[in-house]
Amino acid sequence: MALDVGFKKIGVALSDPLGLTASPYKIIYRRSNRETFEELLQIIEEKGVEKIVVGIPVNRNGEITRIGQKIEKFATKLEDFLKKRGKDIEMVFQDEALTTLEAKELARSLGKRKEEFDDYAAALILKEFLEGLQRKKQ
């Protein structure tokens, strides 16, 4: 599962069981952390998620941005929440450079409203992560 974490929305994408494809799944509209975490937990349980890839913005120097630091804190809180619920899910970070822009273009080409692209951004983050795993295997 991949997450494109924003202040108001979180894009969610899922891969197939073999980790070969990445597909947009849904957009979660953030409320309290607890409500948001409960909704994510439901997806994790329903879909048998074993790893969460979190998109994180990195600047040109390879350093995590201020927004990225906030996303890291969110991910740490989510990880703690999941552990308390008996879910030991691996959390990894993936540079999300240009995924938002690319996702907007993709969503627009598919006829989606311009503000509803977060799940596509998450799918692009997951796609890049999966492609990186494939390159490492070669």
Side-chain angles (χ1 to χ4, degrees), residues 24 103-113 120:
K104 281 182 184 178
E105 291 296 322
L106 180 60
R108 188 175 336 176
S109 73
L110 295 171
K112 288 191 74 154
R113 293 191 348 225
Y120 285 84

PDB file of all heavy atoms in Angstrom, residues 24 103-113 120:
ATOM      1  N   PRO A  24      -4.554   3.076  -8.247  1.00  0.00           N
ATOM      2  CA  PRO A  24      -5.207   3.994  -7.311  1.00  0.00           C
ATOM      3  C   PRO A  24      -6.330   3.246  -6.597  1.00  0.00           C
ATOM      4  O   PRO A  24      -7.014   2.425  -7.216  1.00  0.00           O
ATOM      5  CB  PRO A  24      -5.791   5.077  -8.224  1.00  0.00           C
ATOM      6  CG  PRO A  24      -5.163   4.889  -9.555  1.00  0.00           C
ATOM      7  CD  PRO A  24      -4.697   3.481  -9.637  1.00  0.00           C
ATOM      8  N   ALA A 103       0.495  13.100 -11.531  1.00  0.00           N
ATOM      9  CA  ALA A 103      -0.826  12.560 -11.174  1.00  0.00           C
ATOM     10  C   ALA A 103      -1.938  13.497 -11.632  1.00  0.00           C
ATOM     11  O   ALA A 103      -2.982  13.039 -12.108  1.00  0.00           O
ATOM     12  CB  ALA A 103      -0.910  12.338  -9.666  1.00  0.00           C
ATOM     13  N   LYS A 104      -1.734  14.804 -11.494  1.00  0.00           N
ATOM     14  CA  LYS A 104      -2.738  15.770 -11.959  1.00  0.00           C
ATOM     15  C   LYS A 104      -2.977  15.599 -13.457  1.00  0.00           C
ATOM     16  O   LYS A 104      -4.118  15.599 -13.919  1.00  0.00           O
ATOM     17  CB  LYS A 104      -2.285  17.200 -11.673  1.00  0.00           C
ATOM     18  CG  LYS A 104      -2.484  17.651 -10.264  1.00  0.00           C
ATOM     19  CD  LYS A 104      -2.037  19.100 -10.100  1.00  0.00           C
ATOM     20  CE  LYS A 104      -2.130  19.537  -8.658  1.00  0.00           C
ATOM     21  NZ  LYS A 104      -1.654  20.915  -8.458  1.00  0.00           N
ATOM     22  N   GLU A 105      -1.890  15.474 -14.206  1.00  0.00           N
ATOM     23  CA  GLU A 105      -2.006  15.303 -15.661  1.00  0.00           C
ATOM     24  C   GLU A 105      -2.728  14.000 -16.003  1.00  0.00           C
ATOM     25  O   GLU A 105      -3.593  13.973 -16.869  1.00  0.00           O
ATOM     26  CB  GLU A 105      -0.616  15.326 -16.310  1.00  0.00           C
ATOM     27  CG  GLU A 105       0.057  16.668 -16.259  1.00  0.00           C
ATOM     28  CD  GLU A 105      -0.681  17.740 -17.051  1.00  0.00           C
ATOM     29  OE1 GLU A 105      -1.208  17.426 -18.139  1.00  0.00           O
ATOM     30  OE2 GLU A 105      -0.752  18.881 -16.562  1.00  0.00           O
ATOM     31  N   LEU A 106      -2.365  12.933 -15.327  1.00  0.00           N
ATOM     32  CA  LEU A 106      -2.991  11.633 -15.573  1.00  0.00           C
ATOM     33  C   LEU A 106      -4.478  11.669 -15.242  1.00  0.00           C
ATOM     34  O   LEU A 106      -5.313  11.216 -16.029  1.00  0.00           O
ATOM     35  CB  LEU A 106      -2.280  10.548 -14.764  1.00  0.00           C
ATOM     36  CG  LEU A 106      -2.816   9.124 -14.895  1.00  0.00           C
ATOM     37  CD1 LEU A 106      -2.745   8.649 -16.348  1.00  0.00           C
ATOM     38  CD2 LEU A 106      -2.009   8.193 -13.999  1.00  0.00           C
ATOM     39  N   ALA A 107      -4.812  12.206 -14.083  1.00  0.00           N
ATOM     40  CA  ALA A 107      -6.218  12.277 -13.668  1.00  0.00           C
ATOM     41  C   ALA A 107      -7.023  13.129 -14.654  1.00  0.00           C
ATOM     42  O   ALA A 107      -8.135  12.768 -15.029  1.00  0.00           O
ATOM     43  CB  ALA A 107      -6.318  12.844 -12.250  1.00  0.00           C
ATOM     44  N   ARG A 108      -6.450  14.237 -15.078  1.00  0.00           N
ATOM     45  CA  ARG A 108      -7.142  15.113 -16.041  1.00  0.00           C
ATOM     46  C   ARG A 108      -7.384  14.374 -17.351  1.00  0.00           C
ATOM     47  O   ARG A 108      -8.455  14.452 -17.936  1.00  0.00           O
ATOM     48  CB  ARG A 108      -6.314  16.362 -16.284  1.00  0.00           C
ATOM     49  CG  ARG A 108      -7.040  17.403 -17.116  1.00  0.00           C
ATOM     50  CD  ARG A 108      -6.262  18.666 -17.244  1.00  0.00           C
ATOM     51  NE  ARG A 108      -5.326  18.792 -16.132  1.00  0.00           N
ATOM     52  CZ  ARG A 108      -4.446  19.755 -15.996  1.00  0.00           C
ATOM     53  NH1 ARG A 108      -4.372  20.694 -16.884  1.00  0.00           N
ATOM     54  NH2 ARG A 108      -3.635  19.800 -14.970  1.00  0.00           N
ATOM     55  N   SER A 109      -6.387  13.616 -17.808  1.00  0.00           N
ATOM     56  CA  SER A 109      -6.547  12.880 -19.068  1.00  0.00           C
ATOM     57  C   SER A 109      -7.614  11.792 -18.966  1.00  0.00           C
ATOM     58  O   SER A 109      -8.187  11.384 -19.964  1.00  0.00           O
ATOM     59  CB  SER A 109      -5.212  12.272 -19.512  1.00  0.00           C
ATOM     60  OG  SER A 109      -4.862  11.175 -18.699  1.00  0.00           O
ATOM     61  N   LEU A 110      -7.884  11.341 -17.740  1.00  0.00           N
ATOM     62  CA  LEU A 110      -8.909  10.319 -17.520  1.00  0.00           C
ATOM     63  C   LEU A 110     -10.266  10.924 -17.158  1.00  0.00           C
ATOM     64  O   LEU A 110     -11.206  10.204 -16.827  1.00  0.00           O
ATOM     65  CB  LEU A 110      -8.459   9.353 -16.425  1.00  0.00           C
ATOM     66  CG  LEU A 110      -7.222   8.522 -16.773  1.00  0.00           C
ATOM     67  CD1 LEU A 110      -6.727   7.758 -15.552  1.00  0.00           C
ATOM     68  CD2 LEU A 110      -7.508   7.577 -17.921  1.00  0.00           C
ATOM     69  N   GLY A 111     -10.344  12.257 -17.168  1.00  0.00           N
ATOM     70  CA  GLY A 111     -11.609  12.926 -16.933  1.00  0.00           C
ATOM     71  C   GLY A 111     -11.992  13.120 -15.475  1.00  0.00           C
ATOM     72  O   GLY A 111     -13.133  13.430 -15.170  1.00  0.00           O
ATOM     73  N   LYS A 112     -11.030  12.951 -14.570  1.00  0.00           N
ATOM     74  CA  LYS A 112     -11.343  13.180 -13.148  1.00  0.00           C
ATOM     75  C   LYS A 112     -11.267  14.666 -12.843  1.00  0.00           C
ATOM     76  O   LYS A 112     -10.585  15.421 -13.527  1.00  0.00           O
ATOM     77  CB  LYS A 112     -10.334  12.432 -12.267  1.00  0.00           C
ATOM     78  CG  LYS A 112     -10.542  10.923 -12.287  1.00  0.00           C
ATOM     79  CD  LYS A 112      -9.733  10.247 -11.226  1.00  0.00           C
ATOM     80  CE  LYS A 112     -10.348  10.492  -9.897  1.00  0.00           C
ATOM     81  NZ  LYS A 112     -10.129   9.571  -8.858  1.00  0.00           N
ATOM     82  N   ARG A 113     -11.967  15.066 -11.785  1.00  0.00           N
ATOM     83  CA  ARG A 113     -11.896  16.459 -11.358  1.00  0.00           C
ATOM     84  C   ARG A 113     -10.487  16.783 -10.909  1.00  0.00           C
ATOM     85  O   ARG A 113      -9.787  15.934 -10.340  1.00  0.00           O
ATOM     86  CB  ARG A 113     -12.881  16.714 -10.224  1.00  0.00           C
ATOM     87  CG  ARG A 113     -14.312  16.588 -10.693  1.00  0.00           C
ATOM     88  CD  ARG A 113     -15.352  17.076  -9.710  1.00  0.00           C
ATOM     89  NE  ARG A 113     -14.905  17.336  -8.374  1.00  0.00           N
ATOM     90  CZ  ARG A 113     -15.566  16.938  -7.288  1.00  0.00           C
ATOM     91  NH1 ARG A 113     -16.668  16.240  -7.403  1.00  0.00           N
ATOM     92  NH2 ARG A 113     -15.114  17.253  -6.101  1.00  0.00           N
ATOM     93  N   TYR A 120      -4.068   8.784  -7.480  1.00  0.00           N
ATOM     94  CA  TYR A 120      -3.160   8.575  -8.605  1.00  0.00           C
ATOM     95  C   TYR A 120      -1.722   8.887  -8.207  1.00  0.00           C
ATOM     96  O   TYR A 120      -0.787   8.199  -8.618  1.00  0.00           O
ATOM     97  CB  TYR A 120      -3.584   9.432  -9.805  1.00  0.00           C
ATOM     98  CG  TYR A 120      -4.802   8.879 -10.506  1.00  0.00           C
ATOM     99  CD1 TYR A 120      -6.080   9.174 -10.056  1.00  0.00           C
ATOM    100  CD2 TYR A 120      -4.675   8.048 -11.613  1.00  0.00           C
ATOM    101  CE1 TYR A 120      -7.204   8.660 -10.681  1.00  0.00           C
ATOM    102  CE2 TYR A 120      -5.791   7.525 -12.244  1.00  0.00           C
ATOM    103  CZ  TYR A 120      -7.057   7.836 -11.787  1.00  0.00           C
ATOM    104  OH  TYR A 120      -8.157   7.323 -12.399  1.00  0.00           O
TER     105      TYR A 120
END
